Amino acid sequence: MTKLLIGSHVGMKAKKFLLGSVEEALSYGATTFMFYTGAPQNTRRKDISELRVEEARQLMIDNGIDIDQVVVHAPYIINLANTVKPETFELAVSFLKTEIERVHEIGAKRLVLHPGSHVKAGEEAGLASIIEGLNQVLTPDQDVMIALESMAGKGSELGTSIDQLSYLIDHVTLSDKLGICLDTCHLNDAGYDINDFDAILDEVEEKIGLDKVLAIHINDSKNPRGAHKDRHENIGFGTIGFEALNKVVHNPRLENVPKILETPYINDHAPYKDEIMMFETNTFNPHLKEAYEAK
């Protein structure tokens, strides 16, 4: 029986750095995980030589975690869609190049990227800017794949539809270096029906290709479908619900795709061990929140 490929976002802190990230993932019973190579809000980065990568990779090997199925998330400050401030675009290009190199040094292959926000310059200008930026960043010999994340449509976010993601991939020169990351909360808030996830996958298959799905973010939503707000909720406590999300996690078309939880902490505690357990046992725990709130 194939193991369920599921984990969560984990931290990376001194002094254990990536080794601590792997230990955290294992404490949740995870078979994959997602991390940032540094704080997502700034450009300060520790040299890869300080991150205890070899120890982390050995611990992954010892516990059956394949680094090819581990996910790295690019920092939020990268905005390739910004045409209003040239310095923001230039920073996005240079910093994304650096992040790709860092991911390569670590040995991972999947880097999730928010496509960007056009900052009131309009969809057409923003999409063109993302394409220009990716054309500057991507190289023929890189082994790191960029997964453009599906977004909720908050503010001037781009990548809010499968059509937009398809357009970006189709117009970037090195499109073979691109894929997508589907986020269930974002899809819901963008107007897609997670209860009919196979219809979403059918559209992805037709317009992009299912082989381009490099990661799935598994999140419930605090908002009704189409709200364009992007507020994650714990599994089974939002408007999507456990049943629909459980079907996503166990969809055979996504068997080899890493599924990553980004649900909120409850009373300053990570709920990921119990949320992973719910998916492994196909059983919703309606008392999850009250148990954490009592801690």
Side-chain angles (χ1 to χ4, degrees):
M1 183 177 177
T2 305
K3 65 181 180 182
L4 187 60
L5 192 56
I6 190 167
S8 70
H9 167 253
V10 296
M12 187 172 67
K13 303 172 185 175
K15 301 177 180 176
K16 287 192 172 181
F17 293 108
L18 189 58
L19 176 62
S21 303
V22 179
E23 290 174 345
E24 182 182 345
L26 292 172
S27 76
Y28 302 146
T31 52
T32 183
F33 60 94
M34 183 177 77
F35 68 101
Y36 295 87
T37 75
Q41 304 91 350
N42 62 53
T43 59
R44 294 192 297 274
R45 292 292 181 269
K46 290 279 188 183
D47 191 84
I48 297 297
S49 63
E50 299 181 51
L51 300 187
R52 303 182 69 172
V53 172
E54 291 307 315
E55 294 167 89
R57 291 192 60 168
Q58 187 59 55
L59 188 58
M60 282 186 254
I61 291 168
D62 293 344
N63 288 275
I65 293 179
D66 185 349
I67 195 164
D68 287 356
Q69 294 174 320
V70 167
V71 181
V72 184
H73 202 303
Y76 304 136
I77 59 172
I78 292 176
N79 184 9
L80 293 173
N82 193 326
T83 61
V84 177
K85 293 184 177 179
E87 63 271 22
T88 300
F89 175 80
E90 290 163 12
L91 171 66
V93 168
S94 62
F95 198 34
L96 183 55
K97 284 181 180 178
T98 300
E99 283 296 293
I100 290 171
E101 291 168 4
R102 288 170 65 79
V103 174
H104 171 73
E105 285 187 66
I106 289 168
K109 300 289 192 292
R110 303 167 195 247
L111 178 62
V112 171
L113 174 69
H114 291 181
S117 299
H118 61 70
V119 201
K120 298 183 179 179
E123 179 181 318
E124 185 176 346
L127 291 171
S129 185
I130 296 168
I131 291 163
E132 180 186 349
L134 289 171
N135 281 337
Q136 290 185 35
V137 165
L138 299 174
T139 62
D141 58 346
Q142 74 179 59
D143 61 356
V144 175
M145 295 283 289
I146 301 290
L148 300 172
E149 185 168 347
S150 64
M151 303 305 292
K154 182 177 62 177
S156 62
E157 282 179 340
L158 296 169
T160 59
S161 68
I162 292 164
D163 281 331
Q164 281 189 357
L165 295 172
S166 173
Y167 180 86
L168 290 170
I169 291 171
D170 287 347
H171 287 81
V172 169
T173 302
L174 296 176
S175 59
D176 60 314
K177 306 300 180 183
L178 293 175
I180 62 172
C181 169
L182 297 174
D183 184 303
T184 55
C185 172
H186 296 175
L187 286 167
N188 173 81
D189 286 23
Y192 290 91
D193 185 1
I194 306 302
N195 286 288
D196 195 5
F197 203 72
D198 270 307
I200 297 173
L201 293 183
D202 288 344
E203 186 177 352
V204 170
E205 187 166 31
E206 177 190 349
K207 297 176 178 177
I208 298 174
L210 282 183
D211 61 316
K212 290 283 195 181
V213 181
L214 302 179
I216 306 280
H217 288 169
I218 303 295
N219 299 299
D220 214 324
S221 175
K222 293 182 183 291
N223 304 296
R225 182 153 59 99
H228 302 294
K229 288 188 177 178
D230 185 13
R231 295 179 66 220
H232 297 188
E233 179 57 283
N234 293 99
I235 302 302
F237 292 89
T239 59
I240 300 172
F242 175 75
E243 185 177 345
L245 292 169
N246 195 46
K247 287 179 180 177
V248 173
V249 167
H250 291 280
N251 192 303
R253 301 163 79 180
L254 304 171
E255 185 176 59
N256 298 314
V257 180
K259 292 119 192 136
I260 303 294
L261 293 157
E262 299 176 306
T263 51
Y265 274 43
I266 307 170
N267 198 21
D268 295 326
H269 292 279
Y272 305 128
K273 181 176 182 179
D274 289 295
E275 290 185 328
I276 289 170
M277 180 69 72
M278 286 198 289
F279 287 125
E280 287 180 335
T281 61
N282 299 287
T283 305
F284 174 55
N285 176 7
H287 305 294
L288 174 72
K289 277 199 165 187
E290 59 190 67
Y292 278 83
E293 286 165 353
K295 289 186 178 182

